[in-house]
Amino acid sequence: EEKFDPYRLLTEHQHRLALAAAFGLKEEYGYKELEDTLIRTYLAEGVRLNHQNAVALITMLRNKRMIVQENGRKYSFKPDYHY
C-alpha cells in the first residue's frame, strides 16, 4: 500500500477549508488536540485520517509553514502560507 502523502493526495483547497474550520474553533492547539481536531475537520472535506496519516499531515503542514509552533508548544494557523 502506498504511503499517505497529504501534499500530493489532497488539494490546497481541501487543506485551506479544513484548516480554516479547525482554527475557526480555536486559535491555538496542543499537539493531541490539534490531531483530533484535524481528523474531524478533514473528514468534513471527505478525507479520512487515521492516527498515522494525521501525524504525516501535521508534519507536512509544519514543513510548509501552514501551521507553526510558537511560544514553546501550541500550534497556530498561518493563512498567508505559500503552497
Side-chain angles (χ1 to χ4, degrees), residues 43-81:
L43 185 58
E45 298 310 317
V47 180
R48 227 176 250 289
L49 297 171
N50 59 23
H51 167 73
Q52 195 176 347
N53 291 354
V55 169
L57 172 68
I58 290 170
T59 300
M60 184 224 91
L61 294 172
R62 286 178 61 189
N63 289 345
K64 287 266 165 214
R65 309 240 352 120
M66 294 160 80
I67 59 173
V68 293
Q69 190 177 15
E70 288 168 341
N71 311 324
R73 35 176 297 127
K74 296 279 188 185
Y75 292 86
S76 57
F77 179 39
K78 292 291 180 212
D80 59 347
Y81 65 79

Side-chain angles (χ1 to χ4, degrees), residues 1-6 10 31-32 34-40 42-43 46-59:
E1 188 178 311
E2 93 176 279
K3 192 170 174 294
F4 176 71
D5 180 348
L10 308 179
Y31 189 87
K32 182 65 182 138
L34 175 65
E35 182 186 320
D36 294 342
T37 302
L38 291 178
I39 287 172
R40 284 198 315 275
Y42 274 81
L43 185 58
V47 180
R48 227 176 250 289
L49 297 171
N50 59 23
H51 167 73
Q52 195 176 347
N53 291 354
V55 169
L57 172 68
I58 290 170
T59 300

